[in-house]
Amino acid sequence: MGLFTRRSQDTATATTAATAVDPALAALTGDYVIDAAHSSIGFTVRHAMVTNVRGSFDAFEGGLHLDGSDPARSTASIDVTIGSVNTGIGDRDAHLLGSDFFDAELFPLMTFRSTRAAQLGGDAYRITGELTIKDVTRPLSIDLEFTGSATDVYGNERVGFEGSAEILRSDWGLTWNAALEAGGVMVSDKVKLGFDISAIKQA
C-alpha cells in the first residue's frame, strides 16, 4: 500500500493514477497526532572509537497529514524537547544539554518539517524536510517503512512507521570533541537516528 508517491508531471498519467486509488489507502486520509507513549526517537553515536552509546529523546510531539487520494500532499512535522535527552547516565545527559552540545536553555526544541515525500517501492519511502538544531536548519532525508494501520481496542485508528537516517552532527554546529591518546576522537561526528512512530487519526 503506497502512502507517498511523486506527483506525476504528465497530466494523463496523473489522471489515471487518481482514478486507480486503492480504497484502503484512501480510507487513511486525514490528520494524525503522534502518540508519544507508543513511539520513540533514538540515536546512536560511536564512543572512543570502540563502542556505541545509545540514547533517546523522551518528550516530543508532532503530527502527520496523510492524503490517500494524492499521497504526494502528505506532510509530517515534529517538535522534540531537547531537555528530555536520555542516555541513561545523568552526567552525560547534563553535558549534552550544556553549551558544548545542544545549549538547551537557549535552544529548547529540535524541529523537523517535511518538504516532500517519495515512494521507493513497496512500503518503503523517503521523507525529505528541514531539521533545525540550535539555530541551524539543514535538509534531512529519512527512510521510512510503513508498518501498517489498525484500529486499537479503544477505537483509535492508527498508522505506524519505522525510520532511520544518518547525520553529521558538525553540520548543525555540534562540534565538541576530545582527542584520544592512541589516536581518534572521543565522539564520532556521524550520528544514526532511529524512529518508531505510532500516530492516531483525529476525528
Side-chain angles (χ1 to χ4, degrees), residues 11-201:
T11 302
T13 301
T15 301
T16 300
T19 60
V21 171
D22 183 342
L25 173 60
L28 298 180
T29 295
D31 295 318
Y32 293 76
V33 171
I34 293 174
D35 178 9
H38 297 94
S39 303
S40 63
I41 298 176
F43 60 88
T44 303
V45 63
R46 200 77 171 164
H47 176 261
M49 310 295 290
V50 298
T51 191
N52 289 316
V53 169
R54 293 175 173 82
S56 63
F57 293 96
D58 295 338
F60 51 89
E61 59 184 20
L64 313 172
H65 174 73
L66 302 182
D67 189 328
S69 298
D70 188 359
R73 295 182 181 272
S74 299
T75 59
S77 65
I78 191 163
D79 296 330
V80 178
T81 301
I82 294 296
S84 71
V85 69
N86 181 8
T87 65
I89 303 295
D91 288 345
R92 181 165 57 208
D93 294 344
H95 190 197
L96 290 173
L97 294 175
S99 59
D100 283 341
F101 287 95
F102 290 113
D103 206 355
E105 287 193 10
L106 289 178
F107 306 100
L109 291 179
M110 173 171 58
T111 65
F112 176 79
R113 299 290 184 267
S114 68
T115 55
R116 57 191 171 90
Q119 185 175 10
L120 303 181
D123 288 328
Y125 306 89
R126 179 167 293 147
I127 306 302
T128 299
E130 295 183 336
L131 176 67
T132 300
I133 303 175
K134 297 174 77 170
D135 57 352
V136 179
T137 299
R138 294 182 60 87
L140 173 68
S141 292
I142 303 171
D143 288 336
L144 292 168
E145 178 186 358
F146 174 56
T147 55
S149 62
T151 301
D152 66 22
V153 295
Y154 302 105
N156 297 312
E157 295 182 57
R158 292 179 178 267
V159 293
F161 297 90
E162 293 179 359
S164 63
E166 290 187 358
I167 65 171
L168 298 178
R169 59 187 178 91
S170 60
D171 287 344
W172 281 266
L174 304 177
T175 58
W176 182 91
N177 230 319
L180 302 175
E181 290 186 9
V185 293
M186 181 69 73
V187 184
S188 66
D189 192 19
K190 182 170 71 174
V191 180
K192 298 179 180 179
L193 305 176
F195 308 87
D196 198 343
I197 301 297
S198 178
I200 299 173
K201 192 174 187 179

